[in-house]
Amino acid sequence: MYDAPNLETRVTQTNTKITARGVQVFYGEKQALQDVNVDILDNTVTAFIGPSGCGKSTFLRCLNRMNDTIASARVEGEILLDGENIYDKRVDPVQLRAKVGMVFQKPNPFPKSIYDNVAYGPKIHGLTRSKAELDQIVEESLRKAALWKEVKDRLTEAGTGLSGGQQQRLCIARAIATAPEVLLMDEPCSALDPIATAQVEELIDELRASFSVVIVTHSMQQAARVSQKTAFFHLGNLVEYGDTSHIFTNPSDPRTESYITGRIG
Amino acid sequence: MYDAPNLETRVTQTNTKITARGVQVFYGEKQALQDVNVDILDNTVTAFIGPSGCGKSTFLRCLNRMNDTIASARVEGEILLDGENIYDKRVDPVQLRAKVGMVFQKPNPFPKSIYDNVAYGPKIHGLTRSKAELDQIVEESLRKAALWKEVKDRLTEAGTGLSGGQQQRLCIARAIATAPEVLLMDEPCSALDPIATAQVEELIDELRASFSVVIVTHSMQQAARVSQKTAFFHLGNLVEYGDTSHIFTNPSDPRTESYITGRIG
Amino acid sequence: MSVFLLIIVLGVLAIAGFVLGRRRALSSVDGNTRRLHSLPGYYAWHGAIMAFLPAMAVLTLWLIAQPLVIERQLADYFPAEQFENDSQRILLMADVRRVAEGLDVAVAAGALTPQEAETITVADGSVRERLGAVGVALGSEVTPEVLDAAQSYRALASTGALGRAIVTLIAALAGLAYALRITHGDFRARNRVEAVILGVLILASTIAILTTVGIVMSMLSETIRFSSMYPFKDFLFGLTWQPSFQGNSELGLLPLLWGTLYISLVAMIVAVPTGLFTAIYLAEYASPRVRSVIKPLIEVIAGIPTVVFGLFALVTVGPFLRDWFAVPTGLGSSGSSVMTAGLVIGVLNIPFISSLADDIINAVPQSLRDGSYGLGATKSETVRQVILPAALPGIVGAILLAASRAIGETMIVTMGAGAAAKLDMNPFEAMTTITVKIVSQLTGDTEFNSPETLVAFALGMTLFVITLGLNIFALWVVRKYREQYE
Amino acid sequence: RDNVQITGSSTVLPYSTIVAEAFGENFDFPTPVVEGGGSGAGRAKMCEGVGTNTVDIANSSSRISQRDLDTCAANGVTEVMEVRFGYDGIVFASDVNGPEFAFTPADLFNALGAQVAKDGAIVANPHSMWSDFNSAMPAQEILVLSPGTKHGTREVFDERVIYEGCKATGAYDLFLAVAEGADDKAKARAAKGECTKLRTDGRNVDIDGDYTETLARLEADKKAIGVFGLSFYQNNTDKLRVGTMNGVVPSTESIAAGDYPVSRPLYFYVKLAHLDVIPGLQEYIEFFVSDDMAGPDGPLAEYGLVSDPELAATQDMVANRTPMGPLN
Amino acid sequence: MTDATSAQSPAPAPVRTSLLTQNALMKKRNAAEARFKAYGVAAICVSLSVLAIMLWTIFSDGVSAFKQATLSFPVTLDADALDPKGNRDRAEMMRVTTIGYTKLLNAQLLAHLEARGISTEGVTDKDVAAFISRDTPARVRDMVLEQPALLGQTIEVSGFATGRIDGYLKGRVTRDTAERDTNISVAQLDLADRMQAEGILTAKFNWSFLTAPDASDQRPEAAGLGVALIGSAYMMALVVIMVLPLGVAASIYLEEFAPKNRWTDIIEVNISNLAAVPSIVYGILGLAIFINFAKFPQSSPLVGALVLTLMTLPTIIIATRAAIRAVPPSIRDAALGVGASKMQTVFHHVLPLAAPGILTGTILGLASALGETAPLLLIGMVAFVANYPASPLDGGVLDPATALPVQVYSWASRSDPAFIERSAGAIIVLLAFLVTMNIIAIILRRRFERRW
Ligand SMILES: Nc1ncnc2c1ncn2[C@@H]1O[C@H](COP(=O)(O)OP(=O)(O)OP(=O)(O)O)[C@@H](O)[C@H]1O
Ligand SMILES: Nc1ncnc2c1ncn2[C@@H]1O[C@H](COP(=O)(O)OP(=O)(O)OP(=O)(O)O)[C@@H](O)[C@H]1O
Ligand SMILES: [Mg+2]
Ligand SMILES: [Mg+2]
Ligand SMILES: O=P([O-])([O-])[O-]
């Protein structure tokens, strides 16, 4: 079951979806990211790897401007989505986030029923015209997140009463229900057992057909399995970015190599 | 770096620390655990594995009566710690929890400074007589949790401003600072990079010398690496319990085997 | 020893218990705090509590019991039939106590020597006058029996005081000794101290119950008296409120109840949206600086005395509404109206909703907001669909508090809505509320024992019952719709 | 307790404070504490019992009733001294810029009665203008701010104005004709009750508050007629224009002479049991009724009190500590 | 094997749209957002503009209360008139009442005007005497009784001018109103102008407004807030001391320790219901329990504080419970998990996090307690009290006192319009008192506020 790194690059299209140029992030005085430049491609799974606290989540949150909600956070530099600067004054972060969905590192289900958790996004975006359609979206999303079987009889129970892994999958279901163009996933499988992990990985692969997926993971194998591109972060720097196969087999930066081989953390 | 399962059983002593007999847990009407019987040994690392939602966290919370705080939860059966029923009326859950420490699945640092997060336990248990001693305990705990290097210059900053993995390690540091006899860890490494994981695993191994450690994990490798005993949960049942080496090489229950080989989830 | 002095001594013993408890605990483990079950401070507190609390309880019991015992002892001085009769006995004992205390005062003031106080008889001239000279008021001349009883009372009381001091001190020392004896490393001092704290907490929460009991008791007997003077059914279902001096008043509740509900409704229609939107803006949109300025500013509104608001209603809002709304729409020409009072009360209640709700909203974890924003929800959607449901119980509490204040408001209604009790749908008509009538019936010029005055108590009772119903309903709503986060 | 405690009528309150203040200045006793709160409430407080935690004096703008005396007696307050120290005039005033009003009780009854006599029959009050029933009066809408039903002033207003007006317009006889009752007395009472019912269509506004509220209302609605105490009016002559009653202008003189009909006596009640107990009590009441205070040239009269012509008798009574007899 | 395989492939990729353009739905949602935000701004504007109006009214009516017209003129203390027996015996000198002093002062003022060549044309002697507040003779008398040596000397007396002259200097009384006012004449105003020009009549800052006790209806100029300030300060201090621990303790028990059953439901409903009890009913309760039963003295700040405590308690409890309930359970879990007892969890973690809410409740509760008159009515604090209560150590909390709102209320109902101005001035003082009281709470609250 533990596949070897999937080296086959199944990139069907290589349009750049997101371009980051000179991104710097500060929390108050402290700089958390230094001068990150990266191109995230469409129809591609990009993995962010790196030791804990190196700035992966921080960068991820830049991509859909979730950093706006942290009072002390300040973002500099330029991030383009389909060529448009998302930090432009005219850009509505709401619209941006509808396009760039996110699964957070700590599962944060709403204190609502499981159904309402998933139905929330489609409702506010007006994705459905009838209750039946909504039901279908909810079911489909839960199925894709590999949660349907466990919760189909308790859709009206609170999402907060689920186990840790279930909550995580609920959050994944919630994110894909809104059909974003880019999906940012911050350690989506950290609380999942291998089978559920495999299912989510399968989902990610499937999503790639139409979207761009960015995934933060600590599992080198997972990065290797699901991603086509990998970015390695270290101490707030994007050290290396390239084809996953390349990074894992032939990293150009010594830090990357040491991390992959387990020498720095 | 990905060691093969550590099959060598380094059990130095096999006193039973915790005995569970016929434990059943209900959330309201719903039964989450059925008739769990298990003996957790002293100076041993016990791993709980099983698919997401199978009741691992629930059982873990039984062991130090954290389920008392969930209004809808009801525990039946008997759990003995050093031969004393912890659900006895005369038992003070506070004292119990001081002996049986816990790291939660979702990192939950106090909204206080990093230092205060770690120092809290030693303070309320009167483990130190001077500020210097306390400083030392804090430093040592943070070191053991592999967090010291990252936070030593920012001990007065809020624990909630840390990255996900840092928060997780902070919670580990907080738990070991009180020097419990049994340490319950619910997926302590889920948000950690391989190096940090290795450090925590090293810590666990170290703790085993004097204490009993129970760890919930989704990583079969991790279970194999750190634990001497493994319990496999499935759909609220303890399916199989035995030596880790035995469970991973020669499971007696077909469900265990399917899980380990990745067929059920 | 006086009670006050006794309490001071107990305090000193408590401090001793504090020091000794701690010392004893530490010495039992040779200073190694790790071997203590609880933190040393808990042993200290345990010592203090054990020295103080039981003794205090003994003292309290004694203070309650002593008068009863003495009363029994004094039975001989009075004819049995007089003493058996409860109300007469109470009057007699009050007299005896007053005379006895008067003698004490006289002795303290030097007007009588202690011997004189013990031996004085009615034959020695007017006791009333002599006590009056030292400032003790006696309703009438002292009878020989009362004087004798009072002297005996003094003797018993001084014996009692001695006994009280001895017993209390013994209890304190025993408590202290017990605490020290059981203090050792394994003793669960924390649990003991926490149990005491828990007791204090429970006691504190019974104050609320006692207040209710007090309110009901202080109104119930007068309400019953009222119902014996005025048919209660007419009161509850009467459609006219027309008290008069000549008697034969009509005291129907319904117009007042209607006014109360109508005015409160208008007030809540003003206060709830304004308050909630203010809270939402402050918690979710405003910058911390703006928030830290505006929130206290709005809270100032809660501190403006209601008289000022009343005058505002009367002088500004009333004529404005009359000239711009009521007259043009033909709804009337009254300066004071339900609308006027409702609007002003509503404004007054804004800070109650805005500040409390702001705190509750602020306490909703950020992760829930993030979850919602991450799905592409706008702030308002997040607020409406995620934050408000999560904050519901607190917000309902705030709204209830505001509604309560609206119902209980007097000054603004008197000035803004007038004193006319009317059943009318027109919000531009003058009406009045139950609370206003409670105040005016209580403070007016008619005699106390008339239904016109006593009706105030009946009104209070009814209001109490009605708001109880509303609160039960609110609790039910909260139970039904609350969403518990995490 | 070393200070005198006084409670009761808000009408008497200003007089009481003026005396208390002067008393505090001129004697070595502390200044008495004077409370308002209403005559009824004050008498009730006085009747709660004897003792230093009860009040010494109850001010009252109406005479104590037997029922209150009974309560007193039941609580041990057996000896009470009744001191009448002057009269309070009640005036009708309008906005100072408005027209002049010359009232008679009949006018006020016609304006305010719930039912009035019209063409020899009882009808629901049809009047909306003062000129509707008396062409001599200004053509101004009727709006009267009358004292609330709990105020002593209301009783006088009912008795001396409305009831008189009711009789004068013949409405009383018409009410009496249809009144139900066992005997003549009951019928008369019923008829009087009908007389004193005021209209509820908004043209009569009961003021539960004090005269300042009436004044504020009058300023908010200039066409209103307000009912005030004489002293209040005298302090606000720049805002109010007083109406005459039966042609008499209200003033301390005209009331003392008995020409102006709408006035009432003011009292205070002293708990005799406290006299030698509370320091300064005796001195205070003697000071109160002295000519320096309550006399026709004293500060009380200056403030608007109509001095009692029988003040000398009262002074004797106070000096002798004569308790009041049973009410007749 | 998995759910995912059973599902169809994802919906066809939607048409990619620019971030800079908005579709119809987005426009609608943004409009809703803008509206929502506008409601918030509007709501705040409503509150703030009402506050501004109220403050403006209060200040424009009330600031003048802090100024006071003062008359200064030399007075020769005629020994024969003030000490007829001439033996400087206090008891004898006491026999000359303020009336005697009034006569003396009146004559001396007239003499002084003449000496300064100020014409008193068209003004009677009595009208000139009406310039001097009735308070001045009393002060001079006190001074003489204290220092009999002053007799026979000439001293400079500086005392208040009466209310209407004071009003003239502040613009409240004009020649227009004076024409209709029987209490003052235009000629008197002319005289006032002349006296002002000569420096006899001046307007000064009025400290005694803050320090002097209440005065009777005939001397609004002398009335001050001294007793009321002390009374309010005593009461508020006692209320804080009693209500905060009680309220927080009760809330902690109910929210954290009490079993959730019918009984605690009853308590919960009961507490909300207590908040709806009109404040006057608390007065009834206080009268019955504290005065009639416990025999505390009438009019005392202690009883007032007890009544206000009971009245404020529900507000504090409701706010505190809501705040405690809003603390996320994970914080409690964390503390319990390291072996903290429930009590420690509550006191170390939950209470600090609930502190902002508790402080808000305190601010609101104390604000209404500070402004409350009705319950004080029944326990005798709505009164005329001219003597200062003693210091708290001497049992001052048992002495008669009034409170700020009482002074506002009773001045507002007096007949002399000068009291209306004082009433507004008293409101300013009350608000200042409130703000001072709140500042501590507000600073604390800001310190505790945080999101997690
Ligand atoms: N507070 C709760 N209320 C109701 N049901 C709950 C609650 N907590 C857990 N459950 C349910 O109990 C079952 C066991 O949950 P538990 O948290 O023990 O799972 P787990 O083995 O820890 O899973 P995971 O690996 O996903 O954390 C799940 O079905 C879950 O939905
Ligand atoms: N809200 C915040 N305030 C201050 N510092 C922060 C905040 N969030 C993160 N940081 C700091 O910024 C750095 C990067 O954090 P980030 O969350 O991006 O790490 P990460 O790569 O996601 O780590 P992990 O794998 O542990 O989640 C860390 O040092 C962290 O302590
Ligand atoms: Mg992270
Ligand atoms: Mg779990
Ligand atoms: O206050 P009064 O009783 O005089 O109306």
Side-chain angles (χ1 to χ4, degrees), chain A residues 30 52 106-107 154 167 169 187 190-195 218 259 264, chain B residues 30 52 106-107 154 167 169 187 190-193 195 218 220 259 264:
Chain A
K30 226 189 72 211
S52 168
K106 271 198 215 179
R154 43 193 281 210
Q167 289 188 10
R169 283 173 284 162
E187 307 194 27
S190 65
L192 299 189
D193 57 275
I195 297 105
H218 281 119
Y259 181 72
I264 61 168
Chain B
K30 227 188 74 213
S52 169
K106 271 198 214 179
R154 44 193 282 211
Q167 288 188 12
R169 282 173 285 161
E187 305 196 26
S190 64
L192 299 188
D193 57 275
I195 296 108
H218 281 120
M220 244 46 79
Y259 182 71
I264 62 167

Short mmCIF file of all heavy atoms in Angstrom, two decimals, chain A residues 30 52 106-107 154 167 169 187 190-195 218 259 264, chain B residues 30 52 106-107 154 167 169 187 190-193 195 218 220 259 264:
data_model
loop_
_atom_site.label_atom_id
_atom_site.label_comp_id
_atom_site.label_asym_id
_atom_site.label_seq_id
_atom_site.Cartn_x
_atom_site.Cartn_y
_atom_site.Cartn_z
N LYS A 30 7.93 40.46 13.22
CA LYS A 30 8.63 39.24 12.82
C LYS A 30 8.33 38.87 11.37
O LYS A 30 7.18 38.80 10.97
CB LYS A 30 8.21 38.10 13.74
CG LYS A 30 9.37 37.27 14.27
CD LYS A 30 8.83 36.05 14.98
CE LYS A 30 8.27 35.11 13.97
NZ LYS A 30 7.20 34.29 14.30
N SER A 52 8.18 21.95 10.31
CA SER A 52 7.12 22.66 11.02
C SER A 52 7.56 24.08 11.34
O SER A 52 8.69 24.30 11.79
CB SER A 52 6.80 21.89 12.29
OG SER A 52 6.00 22.65 13.13
N LYS A 106 -6.22 22.98 11.31
CA LYS A 106 -7.05 22.46 12.41
C LYS A 106 -8.47 22.38 11.92
O LYS A 106 -9.04 23.39 11.51
CB LYS A 106 -7.04 23.45 13.58
CG LYS A 106 -5.94 23.26 14.59
CD LYS A 106 -6.35 24.00 15.87
CE LYS A 106 -5.15 24.61 16.55
NZ LYS A 106 -5.53 25.34 17.78
N PRO A 107 -9.07 21.20 11.94
CA PRO A 107 -10.46 21.12 11.47
C PRO A 107 -11.34 22.07 12.26
O PRO A 107 -11.26 22.15 13.48
CB PRO A 107 -10.84 19.66 11.72
CG PRO A 107 -9.68 19.00 12.35
CD PRO A 107 -8.54 19.94 12.40
N ARG A 154 -26.69 10.34 10.19
CA ARG A 154 -26.69 11.38 11.23
C ARG A 154 -26.38 12.75 10.67
O ARG A 154 -25.71 13.56 11.30
CB ARG A 154 -25.70 11.00 12.35
CG ARG A 154 -24.37 10.47 11.84
CD ARG A 154 -23.56 9.82 12.93
NE ARG A 154 -22.88 10.77 13.77
CZ ARG A 154 -21.72 10.53 14.37
NH1 ARG A 154 -21.12 9.36 14.22
NH2 ARG A 154 -21.17 11.42 15.15
N GLN A 167 -14.02 15.11 11.41
CA GLN A 167 -14.11 16.56 11.26
C GLN A 167 -13.25 17.04 10.10
O GLN A 167 -13.65 17.88 9.31
CB GLN A 167 -13.67 17.26 12.55
CG GLN A 167 -14.64 17.11 13.69
CD GLN A 167 -14.27 17.98 14.88
OE1 GLN A 167 -13.41 18.83 14.77
NE2 GLN A 167 -14.94 17.77 16.00
N ARG A 169 -12.40 15.40 7.46
CA ARG A 169 -13.03 15.05 6.18
C ARG A 169 -14.25 15.93 5.92
O ARG A 169 -14.55 16.29 4.78
CB ARG A 169 -13.40 13.58 6.16
CG ARG A 169 -12.18 12.69 5.92
CD ARG A 169 -12.50 11.23 6.06
NE ARG A 169 -12.62 10.86 7.48
CZ ARG A 169 -13.22 9.76 7.90
NH1 ARG A 169 -13.77 8.92 7.03
NH2 ARG A 169 -13.28 9.49 9.18
N GLU A 187 -2.46 20.22 5.23
CA GLU A 187 -2.38 18.91 5.88
C GLU A 187 -3.75 18.24 5.99
O GLU A 187 -4.23 17.96 7.08
CB GLU A 187 -1.76 19.05 7.28
CG GLU A 187 -0.43 19.78 7.19
CD GLU A 187 0.37 19.66 8.45
OE1 GLU A 187 0.18 18.65 9.15
OE2 GLU A 187 1.19 20.54 8.70
N SER A 190 -3.76 14.73 7.92
CA SER A 190 -2.95 14.51 9.11
C SER A 190 -3.66 13.65 10.13
O SER A 190 -3.03 12.91 10.87
CB SER A 190 -2.57 15.85 9.74
OG SER A 190 -3.72 16.51 10.19
N ALA A 191 -4.98 13.70 10.19
CA ALA A 191 -5.67 12.91 11.20
C ALA A 191 -6.37 11.71 10.60
O ALA A 191 -7.25 11.13 11.21
CB ALA A 191 -6.68 13.80 11.94
N LEU A 192 -5.97 11.37 9.38
CA LEU A 192 -6.70 10.29 8.71
C LEU A 192 -5.91 8.99 8.70
O LEU A 192 -4.69 8.98 8.62
CB LEU A 192 -7.01 10.72 7.27
CG LEU A 192 -7.87 11.96 7.14
CD1 LEU A 192 -8.29 12.15 5.69
CD2 LEU A 192 -9.11 11.83 8.02
N ASP A 193 -6.65 7.93 8.76
CA ASP A 193 -6.02 6.62 8.69
C ASP A 193 -5.62 6.36 7.23
O ASP A 193 -6.06 7.06 6.32
CB ASP A 193 -7.00 5.56 9.18
CG ASP A 193 -8.28 5.60 8.40
OD1 ASP A 193 -9.17 6.41 8.78
OD2 ASP A 193 -8.40 4.86 7.41
N PRO A 194 -4.79 5.39 7.00
CA PRO A 194 -4.24 5.17 5.64
C PRO A 194 -5.33 5.03 4.59
O PRO A 194 -5.19 5.56 3.50
CB PRO A 194 -3.44 3.87 5.80
CG PRO A 194 -3.09 3.81 7.25
CD PRO A 194 -4.19 4.47 7.98
N ILE A 195 -6.40 4.34 4.93
CA ILE A 195 -7.40 4.13 3.88
C ILE A 195 -8.08 5.44 3.52
O ILE A 195 -8.23 5.79 2.35
CB ILE A 195 -8.43 3.09 4.31
CG1 ILE A 195 -7.72 1.75 4.50
CG2 ILE A 195 -9.53 2.93 3.28
CD1 ILE A 195 -7.53 1.39 5.93
N HIS A 218 3.31 16.78 5.49
CA HIS A 218 4.56 16.43 6.12
C HIS A 218 5.05 15.06 5.69
O HIS A 218 6.09 14.59 6.08
CB HIS A 218 4.42 16.44 7.64
CG HIS A 218 4.46 17.82 8.19
ND1 HIS A 218 3.42 18.36 8.89
CD2 HIS A 218 5.39 18.79 8.10
CE1 HIS A 218 3.72 19.59 9.22
NE2 HIS A 218 4.91 19.87 8.76
N TYR A 259 16.69 17.73 4.04
CA TYR A 259 15.35 17.53 4.59
C TYR A 259 14.76 16.22 4.13
O TYR A 259 14.23 15.42 4.91
CB TYR A 259 14.44 18.70 4.19
CG TYR A 259 13.05 18.58 4.75
CD1 TYR A 259 12.84 18.79 6.12
CD2 TYR A 259 11.97 18.23 3.96
CE1 TYR A 259 11.58 18.68 6.66
CE2 TYR A 259 10.69 18.12 4.50
CZ TYR A 259 10.50 18.34 5.85
OH TYR A 259 9.26 18.22 6.39
N ILE A 264 17.73 17.67 8.28
CA ILE A 264 17.37 18.90 8.98
C ILE A 264 15.88 18.94 9.27
O ILE A 264 15.07 18.31 8.58
CB ILE A 264 17.77 20.20 8.21
CG1 ILE A 264 17.05 20.28 6.85
CG2 ILE A 264 19.27 20.32 8.09
CD1 ILE A 264 17.17 21.64 6.21
N LYS B 30 -26.18 7.03 21.33
CA LYS B 30 -25.29 6.29 20.43
C LYS B 30 -24.15 5.64 21.19
O LYS B 30 -23.47 6.27 21.99
CB LYS B 30 -24.72 7.28 19.40
CG LYS B 30 -24.77 6.76 17.98
CD LYS B 30 -24.01 7.69 17.08
CE LYS B 30 -22.55 7.51 17.31
NZ LYS B 30 -21.64 8.59 17.19
N SER B 52 -10.41 6.03 11.21
CA SER B 52 -10.95 7.26 11.78
C SER B 52 -12.38 7.03 12.25
O SER B 52 -13.20 6.43 11.56
CB SER B 52 -10.91 8.36 10.72
OG SER B 52 -11.63 9.46 11.14
N LYS B 106 -6.60 17.78 18.78
CA LYS B 106 -6.48 19.13 18.22
C LYS B 106 -5.65 19.93 19.20
O LYS B 106 -6.02 20.06 20.36
CB LYS B 106 -7.85 19.79 18.16
CG LYS B 106 -8.63 19.56 16.90
CD LYS B 106 -9.72 20.62 16.83
CE LYS B 106 -10.97 20.07 16.19
NZ LYS B 106 -12.05 21.06 16.12
N PRO B 107 -4.53 20.49 18.75
CA PRO B 107 -3.72 21.27 19.69
C PRO B 107 -4.54 22.42 20.29
O PRO B 107 -5.25 23.12 19.58
CB PRO B 107 -2.57 21.80 18.83
CG PRO B 107 -2.82 21.37 17.44
CD PRO B 107 -3.96 20.43 17.42
N ARG B 154 11.14 33.72 22.05
CA ARG B 154 9.80 34.32 22.08
C ARG B 154 8.92 33.66 23.12
O ARG B 154 7.73 33.43 22.90
CB ARG B 154 9.17 34.26 20.69
CG ARG B 154 9.36 32.93 19.99
CD ARG B 154 9.01 33.02 18.52
NE ARG B 154 7.59 32.99 18.29
CZ ARG B 154 7.03 32.47 17.19
NH1 ARG B 154 7.77 31.96 16.24
NH2 ARG B 154 5.73 32.51 17.05
N GLN B 167 2.25 24.36 17.76
CA GLN B 167 1.24 24.25 18.81
C GLN B 167 1.17 22.82 19.33
O GLN B 167 1.06 22.57 20.54
CB GLN B 167 -0.14 24.66 18.28
CG GLN B 167 -0.27 26.15 18.03
CD GLN B 167 -1.69 26.56 17.70
OE1 GLN B 167 -2.63 25.78 17.85
NE2 GLN B 167 -1.86 27.78 17.25
N ARG B 169 3.51 20.63 19.40
CA ARG B 169 4.66 20.32 20.24
C ARG B 169 4.57 21.06 21.57
O ARG B 169 4.97 20.56 22.62
CB ARG B 169 5.96 20.71 19.50
CG ARG B 169 6.33 19.65 18.46
CD ARG B 169 7.50 20.09 17.63
NE ARG B 169 7.09 21.10 16.64
CZ ARG B 169 7.95 21.92 16.03
NH1 ARG B 169 9.23 21.84 16.30
NH2 ARG B 169 7.51 22.79 15.15
N GLU B 187 -2.64 11.26 18.60
CA GLU B 187 -2.00 11.68 17.34
C GLU B 187 -1.03 12.85 17.56
O GLU B 187 -1.20 13.92 16.99
CB GLU B 187 -3.06 12.07 16.32
CG GLU B 187 -4.04 10.92 16.13
CD GLU B 187 -4.88 11.08 14.88
OE1 GLU B 187 -4.40 11.74 13.95
OE2 GLU B 187 -5.97 10.51 14.84
N SER B 190 0.73 14.24 14.22
CA SER B 190 -0.02 14.38 12.96
C SER B 190 0.40 15.62 12.19
O SER B 190 0.35 15.64 10.97
CB SER B 190 -1.51 14.41 13.25
OG SER B 190 -1.84 15.56 14.00
N ALA B 191 0.80 16.69 12.89
CA ALA B 191 1.14 17.90 12.16
C ALA B 191 2.64 18.14 12.13
O ALA B 191 3.08 19.24 11.87
CB ALA B 191 0.43 19.10 12.78
N LEU B 192 3.39 17.09 12.41
CA LEU B 192 4.84 17.30 12.50
C LEU B 192 5.57 16.76 11.28
O LEU B 192 5.18 15.76 10.69
CB LEU B 192 5.37 16.62 13.76
CG LEU B 192 4.79 17.14 15.06
CD1 LEU B 192 5.52 16.53 16.25
CD2 LEU B 192 4.86 18.65 15.12
N ASP B 193 6.64 17.45 10.98
CA ASP B 193 7.48 16.98 9.88
C ASP B 193 8.29 15.77 10.34
O ASP B 193 8.35 15.50 11.54
CB ASP B 193 8.40 18.12 9.43
CG ASP B 193 9.23 18.62 10.57
OD1 ASP B 193 8.72 19.49 11.33
OD2 ASP B 193 10.36 18.14 10.75
N ILE B 195 11.31 15.10 10.84
CA ILE B 195 12.38 15.24 11.83
C ILE B 195 11.80 15.46 13.21
O ILE B 195 12.19 14.81 14.18
CB ILE B 195 13.32 16.39 11.44
CG1 ILE B 195 14.01 16.03 10.12
CG2 ILE B 195 14.39 16.60 12.50
CD1 ILE B 195 13.52 16.83 8.98
N HIS B 218 -2.13 7.14 13.26
CA HIS B 218 -2.63 6.58 12.01
C HIS B 218 -1.52 6.03 11.16
O HIS B 218 -1.75 5.47 10.09
CB HIS B 218 -3.38 7.65 11.22
CG HIS B 218 -4.74 7.86 11.75
ND1 HIS B 218 -5.16 9.07 12.23
CD2 HIS B 218 -5.78 7.02 11.92
CE1 HIS B 218 -6.40 8.97 12.65
NE2 HIS B 218 -6.80 7.73 12.48
N MET B 220 1.07 3.47 10.53
CA MET B 220 1.43 2.11 10.90
C MET B 220 2.92 2.03 11.22
O MET B 220 3.33 1.38 12.18
CB MET B 220 1.15 1.20 9.70
CG MET B 220 0.08 0.16 9.93
SD MET B 220 -1.41 0.75 10.71
CE MET B 220 -2.23 1.51 9.35
N TYR B 259 -6.86 -4.20 7.74
CA TYR B 259 -6.53 -2.79 8.00
C TYR B 259 -5.06 -2.55 7.75
O TYR B 259 -4.67 -1.58 7.09
CB TYR B 259 -6.89 -2.42 9.44
CG TYR B 259 -6.61 -0.98 9.76
CD1 TYR B 259 -7.41 0.03 9.20
CD2 TYR B 259 -5.56 -0.60 10.58
CE1 TYR B 259 -7.16 1.36 9.47
CE2 TYR B 259 -5.30 0.73 10.86
CZ TYR B 259 -6.10 1.71 10.30
OH TYR B 259 -5.85 3.01 10.55
N ILE B 264 -9.36 -2.38 4.72
CA ILE B 264 -10.57 -1.75 5.26
C ILE B 264 -10.23 -0.41 5.90
O ILE B 264 -9.09 -0.18 6.31
CB ILE B 264 -11.32 -2.64 6.31
CG1 ILE B 264 -10.42 -2.89 7.52
CG2 ILE B 264 -11.83 -3.90 5.70
CD1 ILE B 264 -11.16 -3.46 8.69
#
